[in-house]
Amino acid sequence: MIRITDIIDKVSANHPGCDLDIIERAYIYSARVHEGQVRLSGEPYLSHPLEVAGILADMKLDWISVSAGLLHDVIEDTRSTPQEVRDLFGDDIFNIVSGVTKISVLPLKSSKERQAESIRKMILAMAKDIRVILIKLADRLHNMRTLQYHKEKKQLEIAQETLDIYAPIASRLGIFWIKTELENTSFMFLMPHEYRNIQNLVSKDRKEREEYIETVKGFLREQLAKNKLNGEVLGRYKNYYSIYQKMQTQGLAFEDIYDVIAFRIILDTIPQCYEALGIIHALWKPIAHKFKDYIGFPKPNLYQSLHTTVIGPKGERVEIQIRTHEMDKIAKSGIAAHWGYKEGKQIDERMSQRFAWIQNLVENQENFSNPTEFMESVRIDLFPDEVYVLTPRGDVKTLPKGATPVDFAYMIHTEVGNQCVGAKVNGRMVPLQYELRTGDVVSIITNKNHQPSKDWLNFVKTVKARSKIRQWIKTQEKDKSIGLGREMCEKAFQKNRLNFTSLLRTEEMAKVAEHFGFKTTEDLIASVGYGKITPLQVLSKFLQKPESNSAEKSLLNKIIGRVRKKKPHAGVIVKGIDDVLLRFGKCCQPVPGDSIVGYITRGYGITVHRTNCVNALKMNPDRQIEVDWSPELTETYPTKIRVRSYDRVGLLADIADSIAKNGANILSASTETAESKEVNSFFTIAVENTDHLRRVLSTIKKVKLVQEAERLS
Ligand code: MN
């Protein structure tokens, strides 16, 4: 087991003058809270955070990362609380540790392979500080090194996840040695047979191969020296997993893979690299299309090298990489290599370009003065417009930023969306307009009888949710109109001793529908509900004498006239429907400005009430329909008022006068005199809207001896 003193020595060598005290405190604290816990290997649990911190120290990371490495499991696995970690070690370390914890608790175990890319994006997006990812990689590396202590099922799960998620992340960050080790170890557990097979093939003829390596290396050194180039020459076997992949993807037998061995030349400067390339190409014939200039065109993960494959001394293919010492360091450690730079060193133009891929993703990246400051400001905000959330089963869903549980529900299934009544995020109930965040585990609560709400349109972000909600509303309004239209027709037909329901399926009815320009009788009935045609128009097609029709019509008109119902809409809009038959509730007599609601009334179309009307509140909510005042109003509306006053001569005339002065008409009036000489006068007056009514009432209140003037509800 690595000792804390070794770790501290490494960090202080790489970062002279850093805060070593905090590492020591992190160690003591970690030892205390993990005390008594044991790894599957039988070692004390503390060995794990120590090894992780050791890996981080080897990567030359700063003391904050190393301390966070020592503490990386305390929130998840011990009685330690987030608050305690924050209080003891400050915001930086706390944020990193809680970032690692958040990734660790993601329910990814059952995720399907095809989701790997989304999961990688989610993990990168969740880690706002790149050090979170570096610690997570070190953690996974040590867990893979001790994987043999797990049961086989667990081994396979963890190895697959490592291969799918963590090795590609290491590759993306350019930490090649971690990528290679993670791949090889995963490969060994996932495909032990294939792994051993390649192991055997590589060790077969080993002596012969090693002699070959030495020959080629010696020859290359000689050639470089002849041209006064002082370079390091290395020859190594490619890792087993990449040999396996090559055999699989190119369908080759092991014997046919020539570049099982890769040679590398490391020099001091870039011009030397191109010079060495020229020497090799002059010496051995290069293979066309195999030359790659990653110095001129670095890979996104900062990797730089010249790659070439040539026909070697024995007529075989030889793969050679050429790069500088600096590039070699980056090739091995990628982004982590930059942590080693001493403070105060300016980042030059070239360095800035290398970081371009990260730079584009980071805010305020232009003005950093040194590498440390730059690295600290690196926030991995790779995908600012997306959030990644999980189903309870661990499937990742990608949603636009700002998306809500309703969007999530519709993404799962239209029915789930339509029946969504509530949502839990990370086990807690949240409002439906909650803004989802990356890493949230979302479960939707549904109810078969529940229906979407129009209000959802105010906060949903996805096109799918929006269009599904709109579609549902449309269908629902049509359903309501059909119900309403059917009731109106039944009633009208009944009066003429005709059975509408039995006529519905007749040829005659189909013809009537066609006559009015509808494809189906359902559309015909719906349009009666909408108020586009009247039930009497339909009825007339079934009646013998047209004159009885007109007699009926005039009677109806009289009735409608009594309730001041000249036009069908009378200044009220039913949302989503044109030309509906409407009337106003006599009970509450709404006037423009009142908050109103519509009710589908059997046989009469829609009755409009004030929202606070006692009768309206008693009605079945299923029959409720949204209505609003039209913006263009020209009519006047009846409303009842009461005026309380003391009796005197000329009182009524004065009140009537003040009503008339405000341009309102009196439709009816009555008075009651009480014993105490108090008089209650009741008027029904026609006003334009609530403002108009208020003006009338306030004028009445100024009449001599009037105590009170109010609207009756
Ligand atoms: Mn761990």
Side-chain angles (χ1 to χ4, degrees):
M1 183 160 96
I2 190 170
R3 291 177 310 169
I4 188 66
T5 48
D6 300 336
I7 293 170
I8 288 174
D9 287 349
K10 279 179 192 168
V11 178
S12 66
N14 292 324
H15 305 273
C18 74
D19 185 0
L20 296 174
D21 177 55
I22 205 163
I23 302 181
E24 224 158 315
R25 287 200 291 120
Y27 169 70
I28 293 165
Y29 181 79
S30 185
R32 188 155 56 82
V33 295
H34 283 300
E35 195 180 4
Q37 296 178 343
V38 177
R39 295 272 288 177
L40 286 175
S41 62
E43 284 188 287
Y45 194 90
L46 185 64
S47 64
H48 169 65
L50 263 178
E51 293 292 347
V52 169
I55 292 166
L56 297 168
D58 284 336
M59 287 161 80
K60 300 190 173 149
L61 300 193
D62 64 347
W63 57 100
I64 299 281
S65 317
V66 172
S67 305
L70 286 166
L71 298 167
H72 82 272
D73 275 334
V74 302
I75 294 181
E76 197 195 338
D77 292 340
T78 77
R79 61 192 151 74
S80 160
T81 64
Q83 194 54 49
E84 200 173 42
V85 175
R86 190 196 284 267
D87 291 346
L88 289 171
F89 301 100
D91 282 343
D92 272 359
I93 291 180
F94 166 74
N95 287 333
I96 295 173
V97 172
S98 72
V100 176
T101 308
K102 274 182 198 144
I103 293 172
S104 302
V105 300
L106 291 176
L108 299 175
K109 295 289 174 274
S110 64
S111 296
K112 289 162 200 114
E113 216 175 311
R114 61 177 167 79
Q115 291 210 308
E117 177 58 22
S118 308
I119 296 171
R120 291 196 290 265
K121 281 166 114 185
M122 176 175 67
I123 289 174
L124 287 170
M126 275 176 82
K128 296 208 173 67
D129 188 318
I130 192 139
R131 290 175 288 189
V132 170
I133 297 293
L134 299 176
I135 291 170
K136 192 65 210 159
L137 289 174
D139 177 44
R140 182 51 60 115
L141 192 66
H142 184 245
N143 285 335
M144 288 305 287
R145 285 175 183 173
T146 51
L147 196 61
Q148 69 268 29
Y149 300 109
H150 280 283
K151 294 216 172 83
E152 197 193 334
K153 186 170 173 270
K154 198 87 189 159
Q155 285 177 349
L156 295 179
E157 267 175 28
I158 295 174
Q160 190 66 55
E161 190 186 75
T162 303
L163 199 59
D164 292 341
I165 312 294
Y166 291 101
I169 288 176
S171 168
R172 165 121 211 190
L173 298 179
I175 312 172
F176 193 71
W177 71 274
I178 292 187
K179 171 200 182 240
T180 307
E181 188 178 331
L182 290 178
E183 279 181 353
N184 269 344
T185 324
S186 303
F187 179 43
M188 186 173 79
F189 281 99
L190 290 171
M191 286 174 275
H193 179 75
E194 288 85 345
Y195 181 88
R196 267 196 303 278
N197 185 28
I198 289 174
Q199 201 174 27
N200 291 337
L201 289 166
V202 169
S203 52
K204 201 177 75 177
D205 308 325
R206 184 146 207 145
K207 200 160 172 252
E208 199 180 310
R209 266 180 223 279
E210 247 135 53
E211 273 170 25
Y212 168 78
I213 290 176
E214 283 314 310
T215 314
V216 174
K217 271 161 71 176
F219 199 71
L220 285 170
R221 278 200 197 99
E222 205 177 294
Q223 293 298 320
L224 289 175
K226 239 190 233 173
N227 291 276
K228 298 195 175 83
L229 284 176
N230 181 24
E232 207 179 317
V233 182
L234 305 163
R236 55 160 193 105
Y237 287 99
K238 286 201 151 176
N239 79 67
Y240 296 170
Y241 186 63
S242 61
I243 294 174
Y244 171 77
Q245 274 185 311
K246 201 152 210 171
M247 288 165 70
Q248 290 303 112
T249 56
Q250 301 182 12
L252 296 172
F254 180 77
E255 290 71 28
D256 299 327
I257 299 176
Y258 291 94
D259 46 7
V260 167
I261 301 159
F263 293 92
R264 185 175 301 154
I265 300 170
I266 302 168
L267 297 144
D268 291 328
T269 67
I270 292 173
Q272 286 173 357
C273 293
Y274 286 103
E275 204 181 327
L277 180 77
I279 293 164
I280 290 161
H281 281 185
L283 192 67
W284 293 321
K285 189 178 157 48
I287 292 168
H289 311 301
K290 280 287 189 178
F291 170 65
K292 298 260 163 59
D293 182 359
Y294 294 120
I295 289 181
F297 305 95
K299 287 193 186 180
N301 63 11
L302 315 182
Y303 178 88
Q304 284 186 296
S305 248
L306 299 174
H307 287 194
T308 187
T309 306
V310 295
I311 308 292
K314 293 179 183 171
E316 80 294 3
R317 292 179 184 214
V318 183
E319 190 190 284
I320 302 169
Q321 302 171 347
I322 306 165
R323 58 201 186 209
T324 65
H325 287 285
E326 200 187 336
M327 290 170 191
D328 193 48
K329 198 157 80 178
I330 292 168
K332 283 171 183 155
S333 308
I335 198 166
H338 293 282
W339 286 89
Y341 287 106
K342 291 208 172 63
E343 221 167 309
K345 186 176 168 182
Q346 294 291 315
I347 284 192
D348 61 21
E349 180 65 19
R350 218 159 38 92
M351 181 79 92
S352 303
Q353 277 171 10
R354 277 191 216 151
F355 275 111
W357 72 285
I358 295 179
Q359 274 181 359
N360 295 333
L361 315 167
V362 178
E363 283 176 293
N364 310 318
Q365 79 279 29
E366 282 107 345
N367 303 319
F368 44 82
S369 58
N370 63 58
T372 313
E373 190 186 311
F374 170 71
M375 290 308 295
E376 274 167 5
S377 70
V378 169
R379 293 281 179 273
I380 308 181
D381 197 5
L382 299 164
F383 324 102
D385 302 331
E386 294 181 344
V387 291
Y388 306 91
V389 298
L390 296 128
T391 68
R393 281 170 39 222
D395 288 346
V396 179
K397 299 284 168 201
T398 307
L399 289 157
K401 196 175 161 62
T404 64
V406 176
D407 293 293
F408 178 86
Y410 276 103
M411 179 167 265
I412 301 289
H413 196 278
T414 303
E415 281 305 292
V416 177
N418 284 342
Q419 299 174 0
C420 164
V421 287
K424 278 184 177 176
V425 166
N426 304 324
R428 247 183 244 161
M429 287 297 296
V430 294
L432 286 176
Q433 59 269 55
Y434 169 89
E435 200 171 299
L436 294 171
R437 290 187 303 188
T438 288
D440 280 347
V441 180
V442 190
S443 58
I444 298 296
I445 299 156
T446 57
N447 181 327
K448 273 221 171 95
N449 302 318
H450 194 262
Q451 297 165 344
S453 157
K454 281 174 195 176
D455 297 339
W456 294 356
L457 290 172
N458 296 329
F459 58 75
V460 294
K461 287 285 180 299
T462 53
V463 175
K464 179 166 183 188
R466 192 170 295 279
S467 65
K468 290 293 176 189
I469 295 166
R470 286 227 177 91
Q471 190 187 327
W472 186 89
I473 290 169
K474 225 173 160 186
T475 320
Q476 194 218 22
E477 300 295 18
K478 191 178 179 188
D479 286 350
K480 274 192 185 175
S481 312
I482 290 172
L484 174 61
R486 188 189 300 270
E487 280 176 15
M488 291 164 81
C489 289
E490 273 166 9
K491 192 143 192 168
F493 276 61
Q494 209 176 5
K495 274 187 190 162
N496 289 274
R497 292 183 199 85
L498 290 168
N499 187 328
F500 179 74
T501 315
S502 57
L503 284 168
L504 198 54
R505 295 211 184 107
T506 59
E507 190 75 4
E508 223 179 335
M509 188 64 84
K511 271 186 194 150
V512 172
E514 204 181 322
H515 168 83
F516 284 105
F518 299 108
K519 279 182 191 153
T520 64
T521 51
E522 199 171 70
D523 289 345
L524 172 75
I525 297 167
S527 85
V528 173
Y530 287 146
K532 280 179 185 159
I533 56 173
T534 67
L536 294 175
Q537 282 175 283
V538 180
L539 179 66
S540 69
K541 302 289 165 199
F542 291 89
L543 293 175
Q544 300 302 322
K545 303 169 216 161
E547 35 315 342
S548 88
N549 173 23
S550 65
E552 183 109 3
K553 208 171 196 170
S554 71
L555 179 67
L556 189 89
N557 281 341
K558 260 188 202 164
I559 295 163
I560 289 170
R562 217 183 293 150
V563 290
R564 303 181 50 75
K565 182 68 207 61
K566 280 175 194 130
K567 283 187 223 158
H569 30 75
V572 170
I573 307 163
V574 177
K575 287 192 181 162
I577 307 175
D578 303 325
D579 303 332
V580 178
L581 274 173
L582 282 167
R583 57 176 207 150
F584 292 101
K586 282 181 198 159
C587 44
C588 57
Q589 291 182 315
V591 308
D594 286 330
S595 160
I596 49 172
V597 64
Y599 283 90
I600 298 167
T601 315
R602 206 171 284 272
Y604 285 100
I606 293 167
T607 311
V608 177
H609 292 271
R610 282 152 72 182
T611 6
N612 56 3
C613 168
V614 192
N615 291 325
L617 291 170
K618 278 189 266 182
M619 287 176 198
N620 183 351
D622 284 349
R623 290 174 172 264
Q624 195 174 330
I625 195 159
E626 236 178 273
V627 294
D628 213 343
W629 295 103
S630 158
E632 300 138 26
L633 292 164
T634 47
E635 305 214 0
T636 55
Y637 299 80
T639 190
K640 263 191 200 132
I641 61 169
R642 177 176 66 184
V643 182
R644 197 158 52 78
S645 64
Y646 292 109
D647 204 4
R648 68 169 170 87
V649 179
L651 175 75
L652 265 181
D654 286 350
I655 294 172
D657 189 37
S658 59
I659 293 171
K661 256 196 317 208
N662 280 289
N665 282 325
I666 299 172
L667 303 174
S668 71
S670 65
T671 59
E672 290 169 3
T673 310
E675 280 176 20
S676 58
K677 277 200 167 182
E678 221 183 61
V679 186
N680 277 325
S681 319
F682 298 92
F683 299 89
T684 300
I685 57 172
V687 292
E688 283 158 16
N689 51 43
T690 46
D691 282 344
H692 188 198
L693 176 61
R694 252 192 298 280
R695 283 202 304 277
V696 173
L697 291 174
S698 79
T699 318
I700 296 173
K701 279 178 201 162
K702 286 175 195 150
V703 173
K704 199 176 151 197
L705 290 188
V706 167
Q707 304 297 302
E708 183 62 82
E710 60 188 356
R711 182 179 181 185
L712 288 177
S713 52

